[in-house]
């Protein structure tokens, strides 16, 4: 099935879905049917997502701590106090900086590498296609608990990576214990874990590109680089947008890699906002932790909006 | 699920959300300490008893449960194994929800924070006799003058070292701080890649090694009444200075970590490290690797003493009963049972733990073992962290400063000062 | 077609680097404990052993964890396929009051980090009396915004004429959804199935707190449990368990990957 970008909007349009001379009774019947269809999801969604979300917003405006959970009504309302405290908390500011570093470097890197792989796979890899696809996707499905151990062995001072570097005469650093290399190591690990997802998205995008346009460009004498820059990239914009949004929502919640590999160290250099929140939850400071998680949620919302602005229009 | 429960839950959530905004905190909640609760009844235990236990203890406890059920035919004990690392999350969420098992194994340092959330019931009057237990271990079950748990096993952290390398270098295990760095240097000269493994990061439970240095120098974390922190003192600075000196003297790395777990014994056996401050679980692990060579290669010594003491970190496991337990009486009876010297000895044979019940040492065959004798000596000189609800947060700050001092990011003087102000912000309750 | 070596060579190198940690993990599962701790760089075990796998099945309730994980994942996938399709159909093809608000709310939740709702969710599930039941493991994941997003994107491309024709034949909305729409949604359903299965299968923190007894543990919780004993980790068991945990998903992906890519192509990239 090939779907071009053009015919989707036309299909969404007539939401009423009917010819003009429908009667109101029919409309009512459809509305009832619609609500019945929407009901199971909506109930679950209200109960397990919207409700807890509102509750945590309220908690973020109180001084709730672990000891209050058995009697949650006996807490004091502190308004925006937690939020003000957060921005005076040096550890939180460090966490913001680390999260921006991780996402700011990791996102473009992951997108670029995934795009390269997808382009290569789409341009002349016919044999072993499935092997390549599944191979590059493997890291996505591997559980972090176990794969973290493997990565530690790779990155140890006398680990596999430094052994490999040693054979070409380079003595590698203590990757995870050096404040300057710990974060880059985690970024590479995150790239490894996530490029498979983006690769699939970009492959899908590439398959939907109109081949005749490329053929025409080739006939007109455009070289590979020109075709890539002037045709592939612009046409791939929706896929890149989707990839960027997905990966940034994920990268801004950066936690697992640091949790498993560095514990947020050395010297807090890999402690992220989510990690900060996790710590505060662990310490039982629920009000403070909820406020921190809301800051993160708002940041993610803003970043997503900005991306839509930047990438959607031209 | 019945619709009634659904709506009930939604109503609770909504009501809680709305009511949250209106209420103030009542001031009188944490004032008076509660006394021990009334004694439990005589007679055999009945009904279902569920207990959470972690690690090796979780694997071995079902055997004791079997013996218990043989004596109490109407009781059924279920031991649920829980990962150590994740136990705090599980226990605190269980307490928060009121949906708990009957009892759980915990670390002494975590007790106060669970008591603060009103999670555990006081130990019933007359259930056990304090005199039967290791004194410090029993004291560590006390929060605000009330006992909330019964000690199961103890562990402490003496100095493990490569005996063969020490002999080769012609040095003996150090008795005091003055001899310590030279000892580590000698091990290094005799072939160890690193004289001593000193944990310096957040993953290595750094505070458990660092804080004894402060104690040994005569420092304390808080005043006697646990009302304020007392870290900005010359003694604490001296302790931090000694900790840092291993790195300055080049006998330990500033990136030391006990991770990955299980590699410490391997590194010691391989001579990657010449010595390490570690707990009793290292003994069976080393014996497994070294076999007959263990006696020749591994030495254990009490911690070298500083100006004030040679106190080591006291840890271990204790059993506590939840306030929301459905079968508290059954759980207490099981705890009473496992605290009998005979059962405690049996349990020790299964786990290799040192029983908190001192009378169990002999039947467990621990008195003949020379390594155990060192542990026994060290147990006479131990310290425990203050029993405060904020301990986890306090520990993270202290470990963080340990790392900063080790890496030379702050001087010991500045670290003491900054720790004092940061911890005072966190508070002691 | 001629093999393009300038593509195959670097891509194969990249592939090897990518799967190396995974291969090391799988081979580690066959290594004795000492060999793992020695940090051996060798890919192949020197003294290959099945001991880790044997221990996995004898010393732990691995089969039980596996069945729990499977049951939960299948229920979550099935629930999402049905509920998300129902809502997505209503949102795209039917007119009803509150449609915009509902859609906006669902899409907003796409961006909310899970850590935000964790504690209130736990209290809620407890108050409902669901803790330590399959309900607790399944219900919170049955309605995911991502599923609605994917299904909506796909369904919106199905021409209205098809639906109109079915309506003229007297079919109700339910029948239209299940007999006309869903049979056309194969790729989207495959995409949703893979993504939901993956996240359910690897979910750790929630089952850790929601399952209170060992018979309710899922695979990741079980693995964390068996790997950590006292103060040393049994890496052999851990690697063996981790290898087995990955196989079903890899299999699923292998089986559905064609549809998966097609599904992404037609849903995400409108």
């Amino acid at each position: 099935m090939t779907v071009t970008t053009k015919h989707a909007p036309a299909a969404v349009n007539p939401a009423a879905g009917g010819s003009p001379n429908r009667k109101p009774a029919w409309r009512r019947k459809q509305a009832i049917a619609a609500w019945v269809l929407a009901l199971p999801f909506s109930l679950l969604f209200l109960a397990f997502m919207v409700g807890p979300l509102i509750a945590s917003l309220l908690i973020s405006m109180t001084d709730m701590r672990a000891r209050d959970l058995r009697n949650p009504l006996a807490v004091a309302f502190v308004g925006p106090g937690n939020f003000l405290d957060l921005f005076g908390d040096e550890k939180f500011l460090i966490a913001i900086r680390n999260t921006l570093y991780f996402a700011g470097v990791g996102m473009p890197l992951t997108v670029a590498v995934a795009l390269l792989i997808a382009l290569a796979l789409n341009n002349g890899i016919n044999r072993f296609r499935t092997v390549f696809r599944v191979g590059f996707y493997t890291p996505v499905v591997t559980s972090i608990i176990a794969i973290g151990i493997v990565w530690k062995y790779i990155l140890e001072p006398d680990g596999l990576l430094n052994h490999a570097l040693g054979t070409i005469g380079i003595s590698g650093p203590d990757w995870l214990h050096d404040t300057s290399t710990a974060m880059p190591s985690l970024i590479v690990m995150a790239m490894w874990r996530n490029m498979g997802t983006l690769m699939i998205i970009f492959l899908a995008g590439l398959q939907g590109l109109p081949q005749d346009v490329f053929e025409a460009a080739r006939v007109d004498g455009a070289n590979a680089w020109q075709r890539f820059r002037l045709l592939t990239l612009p046409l791939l914009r929706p896929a890149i947008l989707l990839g960027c949004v997905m990966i940034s929502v994920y990268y801004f919640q950066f936690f697992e890699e640091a949790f498993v590999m560095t514990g947020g160290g050395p010297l807090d250099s890999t402690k992220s906002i989510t990690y900060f929140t996790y710590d505060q939850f662990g310490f039982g400071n629920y009000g403070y932790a909820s406020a921190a998680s809301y800051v993160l949620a708002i940041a993610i919302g803003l970043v997503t909006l900005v991306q839509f602005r930047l990438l959607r229009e031209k | 699920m019945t619709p009634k429960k659904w709506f009930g839950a939604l109503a609770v959530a909504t009501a809680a959300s709305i009511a949250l905004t209106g209420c103030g905190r009542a001031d009188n909640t944490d004032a008076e300490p509660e006394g021990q609760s009334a004694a439990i009844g005589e007679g055999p235990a009945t009904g279902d008893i569920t207990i959470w236990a972690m690690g090796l203890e979780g694997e071995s406890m079902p055997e004791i449960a079997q013996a218990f059920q043989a004596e109490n035919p109407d009781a059924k004990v279920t031991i649920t194994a829980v990962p150590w690392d994740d136990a705090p999350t599980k226990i605190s969420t269980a307490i928060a929800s009121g949906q708990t098992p009957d009892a759980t194994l915990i670390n002494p340092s975590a007790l106060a924070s669970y008591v603060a959330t009103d999670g555990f019931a006081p130990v019933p009057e007359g259930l056990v006799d304090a005199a039967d237990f290791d004194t410090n271990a029993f004291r560590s079950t006390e929060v605000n003058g009330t006992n909330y748990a019964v000690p199961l096993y103890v562990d402490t952290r003496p100095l493990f070292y490569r005996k063969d390398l020490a002999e080769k270098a012609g040095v003996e295990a150090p008795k005091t701080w003055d001899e310590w760095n030279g000892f580590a240097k000698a091990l290094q000269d005799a072939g160890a890649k690193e004289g001593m493994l000193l944990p310096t990061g957040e993953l290595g439970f750094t505070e458990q090694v660092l804080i004894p240095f402060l104690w040994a120098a005569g420092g304390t974390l808080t005043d006697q009444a646990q009302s304020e922190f007392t870290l900005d003192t010359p003694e604490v600075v001296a302790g931090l200075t000694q900790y840092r000196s291993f790195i300055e003297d080049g006998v330990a790395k500033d990136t030391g970590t006990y991770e990955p777990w299980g590699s410490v014994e391997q590194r010691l056996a391989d001579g990657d490290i010449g010595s390490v401050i570690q707990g009793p679980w290292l003994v069976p692990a080393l014996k497994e690797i070294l076999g007959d060579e263990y006696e020749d290669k591994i030495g254990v010594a009490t911690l070298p003493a500083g100006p004030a003491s040679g106190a080591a970190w006291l840890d271990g496991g204790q059993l506590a009963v939840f306030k929301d337990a459905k079968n508290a009486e059954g759980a207490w009876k099981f705890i009473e049972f496992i605290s009998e010297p005979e059962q405690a000895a049996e349990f020790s044979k299964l786990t290799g733990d040192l029983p908190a019940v001192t009378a169990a040492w002999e039947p467990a065959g621990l008195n003949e073992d020379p390594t155990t004798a060192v542990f026994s000596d060290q147990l006479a000189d131990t310290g425990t962290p203050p029993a405060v609800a904020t301990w986890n947060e306090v520990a993270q700050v202290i470990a963080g400063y340990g790392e900063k001092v080790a890496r030379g990011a702050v001087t010991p003087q500045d670290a003491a000062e900054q720790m004092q102000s940061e911890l005072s912000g966190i508070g002691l309750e | 077609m001629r093999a393009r070596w300038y593509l195959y060579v670097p891509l194969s190198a990249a592939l090897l680097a990518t799967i190396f940690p995974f291969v090391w993990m799988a081979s580690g599962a066959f290594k004795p404990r000492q060999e793992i701790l020695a940090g051996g760089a060798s890919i192949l075990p020197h003294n290959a052993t099945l001991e880790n796998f044997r221990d996995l099945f004898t010393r732990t309730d691995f089969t039980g964890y596996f069945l729990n994980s499977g049951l939960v994942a299948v229920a979550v996938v099935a629930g999402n396929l049905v509920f998300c399709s129902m809502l997505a159909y209503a949102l795209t093809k039917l007119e009803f009051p509150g449609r915009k608000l509902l859609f906006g709310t669902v899409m907003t939740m796409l961006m909310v980090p899970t850590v935000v709702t964790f504690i209130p969710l736990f209290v809620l599930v407890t108050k409902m009396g669901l803790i330590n039941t399959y309900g607790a493991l399944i219900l919170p994941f049955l309605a995911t915004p991502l599923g609605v997003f994917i299904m909506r994107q796909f369904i919106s491309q199905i021409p209205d004429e098809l639906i109109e024709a079915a309506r003229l034949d007297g079919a109700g909305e339910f029948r239209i959804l299940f007999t006309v729409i869903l049979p056309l949604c194969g790729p989207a359903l495959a995409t949703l199935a893979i993504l939901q299965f993956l996240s359910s299968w690897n979910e750790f923190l929630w089952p850790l707190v929601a399952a209170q007894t060992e018979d309710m543990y899922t695979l990741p919780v079980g693995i964390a449990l068996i790997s950590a004993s006292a103060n040393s980790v049994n890496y052999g068991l851990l690697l063996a368990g981790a290898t087995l945990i990955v196989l079903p998903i890899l299999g699923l992906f292998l089986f559905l990957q064609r549809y998966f890519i097609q599904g992404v192509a037609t849903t995400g990239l409108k």
Side-chain angles (χ1 to χ4, degrees), chain B residues 131-182:
Chain B
D132 293 343
F133 293 89
D134 178 81
T135 320
N136 281 342
F138 197 80
R139 198 181 300 139
S140 71
T141 62
E142 194 182 294
V143 181
N144 296 331
T146 305
N147 293 91
Y148 286 94
V150 175
L152 180 63
Y153 63 90
V154 289
D155 73 56
T156 186
R157 315 287 153 84
L159 183 70
F160 285 76
Y161 63 97
R162 282 288 295 268
K163 208 198 286 179
D164 54 333
L165 294 182
E167 276 163 13
K168 191 169 147 197
V171 290
E172 297 222 339
K175 298 267 185 301
T176 63
W177 279 8
D178 299 337
E179 301 162 19
W180 199 347
N181 299 35

Side-chain angles (χ1 to χ4, degrees), chain B residues 161-170 187 190 268-269 274 293-299:
Chain B
Y161 63 97
R162 282 288 295 268
K163 208 198 286 179
D164 54 333
L165 294 182
E167 276 163 13
K168 191 169 147 197
L187 294 178
L268 191 61
E293 290 179 314
Y294 174 85
E295 291 300 326
D296 299 330
K297 283 199 167 169
I298 302 297

Side-chain angles (χ1 to χ4, degrees), chain C residues 94-192:
Chain C
L94 303 176
E95 186 66 38
F96 62 99
R99 190 173 67 104
K100 284 217 170 92
L101 176 71
L102 187 56
F103 179 64
T105 316
V106 172
M107 286 304 107
T108 310
M109 288 300 290
L110 256 180
M111 289 174 294
V112 174
T114 46
V115 63
V116 179
T117 56
F118 195 78
I119 293 280
L121 184 63
F122 185 80
V123 174
L124 174 76
V125 167
T126 310
K127 299 269 187 248
M128 290 167 79
L130 286 176
I131 218 66
N132 207 33
T133 65
Y134 287 113
L137 299 177
I138 296 168
L139 282 174
F141 301 96
L142 278 187
T144 53
L146 185 69
V148 177
F149 178 74
I150 290 174
M151 293 313 296
R152 180 187 168 273
Q153 294 289 84
F154 200 91
I155 293 176
S156 69
Q157 291 163 11
I158 293 174
D160 290 331
E161 289 73 23
L162 275 178
I163 299 167
E164 274 310 294
R167 278 192 193 129
L168 289 178
D169 289 346
E173 301 301 338
F174 269 84
R175 234 181 83 202
I176 295 176
L177 172 64
F178 285 102
T179 60
V180 178
I181 304 286
L182 286 188
L184 293 172
C185 290
L189 294 172
T191 308
L192 186 53

Side-chain angles (χ1 to χ4, degrees), chain B residues 135-289:
Chain B
T135 320
N136 281 342
F138 197 80
R139 198 181 300 139
S140 71
T141 62
E142 194 182 294
V143 181
N144 296 331
T146 305
N147 293 91
Y148 286 94
V150 175
L152 180 63
Y153 63 90
V154 289
D155 73 56
T156 186
R157 315 287 153 84
L159 183 70
F160 285 76
Y161 63 97
R162 282 288 295 268
K163 208 198 286 179
D164 54 333
L165 294 182
E167 276 163 13
K168 191 169 147 197
V171 290
E172 297 222 339
K175 298 267 185 301
T176 63
W177 279 8
D178 299 337
E179 301 162 19
W180 199 347
N181 299 35
F183 174 76
K185 182 84 172 60
L187 294 178
Q188 204 161 298
D189 292 341
K193 277 192 212 141
E194 191 183 350
M196 180 161 91
L197 171 62
L198 196 66
T200 58
E202 281 163 10
L203 282 174
F205 293 104
T206 299
E207 74 279 1
Q208 301 185 358
V209 173
L210 175 63
I211 292 172
F213 279 102
L214 312 186
W215 290 333
T220 52
L221 301 188
T222 67
D223 60 354
Q224 201 72 43
Q226 292 188 9
S227 58
E228 60 179 343
F229 286 100
T230 54
L231 285 153
D232 196 5
T233 64
E235 290 81 16
V236 169
V237 173
L240 290 170
T241 307
Q242 173 63 22
Y243 174 78
R244 162 89 181 140
S245 71
F246 294 105
I247 290 145
E248 277 177 341
D249 291 352
V251 294
K253 284 190 201 140
D254 63 2
T255 56
T257 167
Y258 287 166
E259 285 234 316
W261 300 114
S263 72
V264 172
E265 54 264 32
Q266 191 74 42
R267 282 186 269 171
L268 191 61
D270 292 347
D272 283 348
I273 52 178
S275 61
V276 63
I277 299 168
Q278 258 293 32
W281 54 85
L282 210 55
V283 177
L286 282 167
K287 282 182 176 162
E288 192 189 326
I289 297 172

